[in-house]
Every structure is written in C-alpha cells, then in structure tokens.
Amino acid sequence: MIETFWNICLLHNISTRDQLLREAVRVVQTNRALQLQGAEHRSILEPETLFRWMNQYAGEREFGHFPGDRELFFRLYQAGKDMDLLDYAIQTIQQDRVTGAITVHTSIMDRFKDMCERHHYRTLLIAEAEKYLRGLAESQLYKRSFTITLVTENYIIAKLLKTYFESYLNVRIIQGSIYQPLPLSEKYDAILTIPKFGIKMDEVEDAIIRDSEGVAVNHLLPLLQDTGRISVTLPARMLFQSGRNAQWREQINESAPIQSVHMLPDGLFRPYISVKTYQIEFGRSPSQQVIIGRLLLHKMSLEPEREISVHAEAFARLENWRIDMLLDEDQDTLRSFQQAPVLKVKLRDVADIFRGKSVLKQDLRAGNIKILNISNIEDGEVRTDQLETIDEEERKIKRYEILPGDLVMACRGTVNKLAVFPETEGTVIASANIIVIRLKESISSGYAKIFLESPVGVTLIQSFQRGTTVLNLNPSDVGEIELPLLPHDEQNNRVKRYNEEKERYKQKIREATDRWEQVKNEIYSELY
C-alpha cells in the first residue's frame, strides 16, 4: 500500500519528503471528513466529486495547491485512504536522503519510558518528535497513562501528527523550534531530546553558548518540573571542549545537576551520525551520586556493560565530563598519573597545533612539494622514501609545512599513529589526516611521543576522540591533553633510553629474521 502510494507520487514529480507526507495527510484527512459526514454514496467517490470534497476539507488553505488533477487525486485516494499514517511517516522519513533527518534507535525511547515509569512521571515532552516516531510506534507510549506533548518545527509533520493522534486525548502536538524559547506555560515531568549536532546559532542573545545542542537544552530546561528530568543525547565534544562549552557545563550542572551520563554503543545512530554519543540525564533536584556507565545494545535494548557512581560534589569539580577515563578498566595507572605530584601542562600551552591540507587524489602529480599521509607513518617512524607530491607554489602551502622535530599524529583512520618528523630534503606538508604538534622548548618531541603512546597517553587521546570505530581527532581537542612536565635532562634521558632499547630490539629482530631465512633455505635444499 505504501509503496503503491509512493510510486504514484514519484511518477508525478511528488518526490521530496514533505511533499510525500503532505499528500498522504491530505488523502487521510479527506477520507476522515467523508466518514464524519457519513458520505458513503458511490457518487461521492467519483473523481470529480471526490476532488471537490478534498478542496473543501483538505484544500489549499491547509496544504497548499494540489499538484495534479482529479484523476491523480482519485488514484492517490484509492491507494492511501486506509494507510496507517504513522507507519507511512516512519518509512518515508527513513527513506529520505536529502534532509538528513535522523531516525533515533528505538532503544532510546524504551530507556526513556523506563525512566518515566521508575520515577512515576506522567507528563512528557518529546522534542523534534519526527526523530522518535519509530520508538513511539513500537513502545505504544501514547496508549499508556502518560500525557504527551510532541514538538516539531515542521508544519507538515505537525499536521500529520495532529491527524494521526486526533483520537488520543492524552497527546498534544505543538509546532515550534527548540532553538528558540517555546511558547509553553506548562511544565513537564520528563523531556526527551536529541538536538541537531554541530550548528552555530546566530540569533541567541545573552547566551554563554551558541552550539545548537546547548541552546536547545537551555530552552527546554525552563519547561521542567522541580522533580523532573531531561534526557539528552549529546556528541562527545560537548563533554570535553574548553572555553564556552566548559562554562556551559558548569552553569548547567548548577541549575540542573547531572543525574547520569552513559556512553552509547558505537554505530547506534548510523548512517545518520558517526561520532561518539552520550545519553545524559539532568534533573532539577540535586543528587548525591552521579551514575556513569557504558551501554551495550542487546536484543534491541540498551543494557549497562559497566556502571559506577561518583559523588556529585566530586563530579562537579571535574574540568570536563570525559567519563571514558573514569570507566577505564586500568584506573590505577590513570589515577596514579592524575595524582602524581609532577607538574602537568596542556599541549596547547607548550605547542602550536594544526591540521594538514586537504589534498585531492587528482591533485597528486610530480612536483616540488611532498605530502605526508597516514600510510607514511609505520612503527613510530616516518618513511620519507615513499612520499607523494603535488605541484604548488611554496607560499600557498607554507602554513602546512612540517619541520624536523615536529610531532606528527594521525587524526583519522583506524589506528593511532605518532612519529617525530626527521631531517629530510625539500618541503613536506601534512595531509588533512595528520595533526602537526610543534612543541616549544619546555617539552621535547621525543618525550611527548613516548608519553602519548603510553597506556595513559592512549587513554587520554581516546577520551577526546569524536569518532566511534574510526579515529576522529580535532586539533583544539588534542591541545587539551595534559603532559607531565619533567626537567629537560630527565626528558632527554628517557628519550635516549627509549631509542637505544628500540634500536636493540630492532637489531634482534633483524638477526632473528636473517637466521630464520638461512635455516629455512638450508632445510629446503635438503628436501631432495
């Protein structure tokens, strides 16, 4: 039924998400009007009469001009009059590849429902409800003893939801944007939202934060009851970025203390989102403990793989909310670093950090500028003999140039790679997959490399990673990593010992390899 309706629409250039939704609502609303009027005479269902009814009950004023003639509406009516409008909306939105609208995994709605039942919440608000339609349908939340307000910014989706939920007196539909103050006087026990990620909002007055995620939370919090909770899905960067984001975290934890932070499973929102995500619950009432954990997807349900509690006062003192480190199994090693009496410095205070240049494959050609890519870093060293080149003026690429002694670091890919750039002939620039760390006098590149590839360093890097299974690091985030600041002679001693032992190890490998080849060939020669 749904595919037949789609096909008729597509044959008549009704193809965008909103166009497909609009015509389905127009058909269902016309059919409902006919049923209410008791108009079941066969003549009513003739194309001419049906078209007049549509114009009267679902016409241009509500839905705009119908993009076809009487025959087209008649065919759409026959195909779609008995469709389940909610199922149609779910499938149409899921098939949309233009707007990039996300369909939230049903486990998020199930977890929200469990939270509401656990705390005996009754009045719920679901923001940008089109993202949660599948969860609504499968959980049948609207058939339970909840009073639900669904908010959507989209006019057609609001009309669709009003049409579908018309008979449910406990469901209210509001058209409005969560990125602006909502004109609502009611307060709710529980709010669910996954704001748009990574958009800077320009029209925000007197706000600490302009990121769409923070703006949405700021506008939704005033709608929360004193004993209520808001459950928010946020990307990793909102939990650790400094500057305005850090100020926002501190402010929000004072006005609506964090109740829990859970790391969501990798790939839960694919193909819509590929960054690491977290589900955070804020509440109006202070909590003695903050629950932090890591969730796994098991048979379509989110279940805790690991959970611990942190005293609320201790959590409030944290500079960021990087729970990855708190959940790390090797807590003793990490804690020993954090509690060590040695002075620590952030990379951004002792280095210039930048990402390389984006170079397209078609730009690679014989030229005077060499390109360092991830594939050129092997076993902690740069292989300079296989660098590709481009033909470009040096003045245009000067800002991406790598100098001897720079620490280079992979910021994309599946494996974290680090190396100190060696002396080499000619000009070499970093590709966009490389972050260059140009350290100042207080820290040597070799020492920084050793620390960052250590278990503690790897944990710190992973805590700033924005991607899920694929590495995704940002230069500003790398700048937040702390290094222990040792005297120069101690740094140099550790680097010297490291390099000597590595060379001894490589020599042993070479000797063992040569011996193996020799013995193997001797055995081969004795076979006959």
Side-chain angles (χ1 to χ4, degrees):
M1 186 182 296
I2 290 175
E3 287 193 4
T4 302
F5 192 89
W6 280 343
N7 289 335
I8 296 171
C9 287
L10 294 173
L11 286 171
H12 293 81
N13 294 321
I14 302 169
S15 57
T16 69
R17 182 196 72 174
D18 285 3
Q19 288 172 342
L20 292 168
L21 294 176
R22 180 187 65 197
E23 298 316 322
V25 181
R26 197 194 304 260
V27 163
V28 171
Q29 193 159 305
T30 300
N31 185 49
R32 193 165 292 176
L34 285 170
Q35 291 175 345
L36 288 173
Q37 294 292 330
E40 296 182 0
H41 193 274
R42 181 176 294 275
S43 64
I44 295 292
L45 300 182
E46 294 299 319
E48 179 67 36
T49 313
L50 188 64
F51 196 71
R52 272 204 314 272
W53 273 80
M54 179 272 287
N55 280 324
Q56 182 176 351
Y57 292 104
E60 198 165 318
R61 186 175 62 85
E62 277 190 280
F63 297 101
H65 175 70
F66 177 71
D69 57 13
R70 293 154 179 76
E71 293 298 329
L72 174 58
F73 183 73
F74 183 77
R75 290 179 63 200
L76 288 174
Y77 181 83
Q78 296 300 327
K81 61 186 175 67
D82 296 321
M83 279 194 311
D84 183 299
L85 202 53
L86 188 60
D87 186 35
Y88 176 84
I90 290 167
Q91 294 194 44
T92 302
I93 291 171
Q94 189 168 319
Q95 293 296 321
D96 176 44
R97 293 293 180 268
V98 177
T99 62
I102 181 176
T103 296
V104 175
H105 197 275
T106 56
S107 58
I108 297 291
M109 180 63 74
D110 290 337
R111 188 172 174 83
F112 179 69
K113 174 178 67 68
D114 292 344
M115 180 195 78
C116 293
E117 291 177 342
R118 190 167 60 250
H119 294 282
H120 307 291
Y121 292 152
R122 287 293 169 261
T123 56
L124 319 180
L125 183 145
I126 300 174
E128 297 181 319
E130 60 270 25
K131 299 176 179 179
Y132 297 100
L133 294 186
R134 185 172 293 282
L136 272 172
E138 294 192 13
S139 68
Q140 300 281 285
L141 200 66
Y142 48 91
K143 292 183 179 180
R144 297 171 179 265
S145 57
F146 297 118
T147 300
I148 304 171
T149 297
L150 303 177
V151 178
T152 178
E153 194 171 351
N154 185 287
Y155 173 78
I156 292 299
I157 291 175
K159 290 295 296 182
L160 183 147
L161 294 174
K162 285 179 181 177
T163 302
Y164 183 82
F165 289 110
E166 186 176 17
S167 61
Y168 292 92
L169 300 180
N170 63 321
V171 180
R172 179 188 179 197
I173 314 301
I174 300 293
Q175 186 191 351
S177 171
I178 62 173
Y179 309 102
Q180 298 173 354
L182 288 164
L184 296 173
S185 56
E186 299 92 334
K187 291 190 181 292
Y188 300 88
D189 293 329
I191 298 174
L192 179 64
T193 182
I194 174 170
K196 297 172 184 175
F197 287 3
I199 298 176
K200 293 292 182 183
M201 313 301 293
D202 294 327
E203 300 176 3
V204 183
E205 296 181 2
D206 303 325
I208 285 179
I209 194 166
R210 297 185 182 277
D211 296 69
S212 48
E213 302 94 332
V215 170
V217 172
N218 287 351
H219 287 147
L220 289 169
L221 275 177
L223 304 177
L224 204 58
Q225 294 274 18
D226 289 343
T227 56
R229 289 191 179 199
I230 176 171
S231 181
V232 190
T233 307
L234 292 178
R237 63 179 177 79
M238 294 298 294
L239 278 65
F240 60 68
Q241 273 190 335
S242 57
R244 287 180 175 271
N245 277 6
Q247 294 177 43
W248 175 77
R249 287 195 299 271
E250 183 178 356
Q251 181 191 68
I252 211 77
N253 198 35
E254 290 176 358
S255 59
I258 282 193
Q259 313 293 311
S260 68
V261 185
H262 284 87
M263 189 190 314
L264 293 172
D266 290 353
L268 188 67
F269 298 110
R270 286 203 186 103
Y272 312 101
I273 297 173
S274 59
V275 299
K276 285 168 70 173
T277 50
Y278 297 77
Q279 198 69 22
I280 304 180
E281 290 178 10
F282 300 95
R284 284 297 191 187
S285 303
S287 175
Q288 292 296 315
Q289 300 288 327
V290 176
I291 305 301
I292 65 173
R294 186 186 298 118
L295 300 176
L296 287 179
L297 191 63
H298 180 67
K299 294 182 180 179
M300 299 301 288
S301 295
L302 288 172
E303 297 181 1
E305 176 197 26
R306 174 170 164 77
E307 273 188 340
I308 61 173
S309 61
V310 179
H311 196 278
E313 290 183 4
F315 190 87
R317 289 195 296 269
L318 295 176
E319 188 176 340
N320 51 59
W321 301 342
R322 281 151 53 207
I323 65 167
D324 313 48
M325 293 199 303
L326 299 175
L327 292 170
D328 193 271
E329 302 291 348
D330 194 9
Q331 269 289 298
D332 292 340
T333 304
L334 186 61
R335 191 179 294 111
S336 67
F337 166 68
Q338 292 172 329
Q339 296 177 354
V342 65
L343 180 65
K344 303 176 186 70
V345 291
K346 291 189 176 182
L347 266 175
R348 61 179 164 85
D349 296 327
V350 293
D352 296 321
I353 307 170
F354 61 90
R355 173 174 270 162
K357 176 180 172 60
S358 177
V359 179
L360 301 177
K361 207 163 190 176
Q362 56 263 35
D363 294 333
L364 297 173
R365 59 175 65 90
N368 59 327
I369 307 299
K370 299 175 184 177
I371 310 291
L372 177 68
N373 219 319
I374 294 175
S375 58
N376 304 124
I377 304 175
E378 295 179 14
D379 193 26
E381 296 179 3
V382 175
R383 309 297 183 190
T384 58
D385 55 335
Q386 297 179 345
L387 300 179
E388 294 180 296
T389 61
I390 59 172
D391 187 19
E392 186 62 270
E393 296 179 42
E394 285 200 26
R395 63 179 180 84
K396 292 183 179 179
I397 51 81
K398 203 68 178 172
R399 58 180 293 197
Y400 305 108
E401 184 178 6
I402 311 174
L403 302 179
D406 285 346
L407 181 59
V408 290
M409 177 184 196
C411 60
R412 296 282 174 87
T414 55
V415 180
N416 188 32
K417 293 184 174 183
L418 290 155
V420 177
F421 194 73
E423 293 281 352
T424 187
E425 293 183 1
T427 301
V428 182
I429 65 170
S431 72
N433 294 325
I434 299 289
I435 287 176
V436 179
I437 303 171
R438 185 163 298 154
L439 288 137
K440 299 171 185 176
E441 293 182 358
S442 55
I443 298 277
S444 80
S445 298
Y447 173 72
K449 172 186 174 292
I450 294 170
F451 176 77
L452 292 174
E453 69 184 20
S454 72
V456 170
V458 169
T459 300
L460 291 171
I461 290 171
Q462 289 174 345
S463 72
F464 284 106
Q465 185 175 320
R466 300 183 182 209
T468 52
T469 53
V470 176
L471 188 69
N472 184 4
L473 291 169
N474 187 287
S476 62
D477 301 337
V478 171
E480 296 296 315
I481 296 175
E482 286 187 325
L483 275 69
L485 182 59
L486 297 183
H488 260 294
D489 57 344
E490 291 190 34
Q491 292 183 38
N492 294 335
N493 287 339
R494 283 160 175 73
V495 173
K496 181 182 177 184
R497 183 181 168 201
Y498 177 95
N499 290 337
E500 288 174 349
E501 289 301 322
K502 183 176 181 181
E503 187 54 44
R504 188 174 288 113
Y505 164 79
K506 289 163 65 177
Q507 180 61 33
K508 292 292 185 184
I509 294 293
R510 286 192 293 268
E511 291 172 359
T513 301
D514 291 343
R515 177 175 173 78
W516 165 237
E517 288 296 327
Q518 180 184 345
V519 173
K520 184 171 64 172
N521 290 328
E522 287 175 1
I523 294 173
Y524 289 162
S525 66
E526 296 169 359
L527 291 175
Y528 52 88

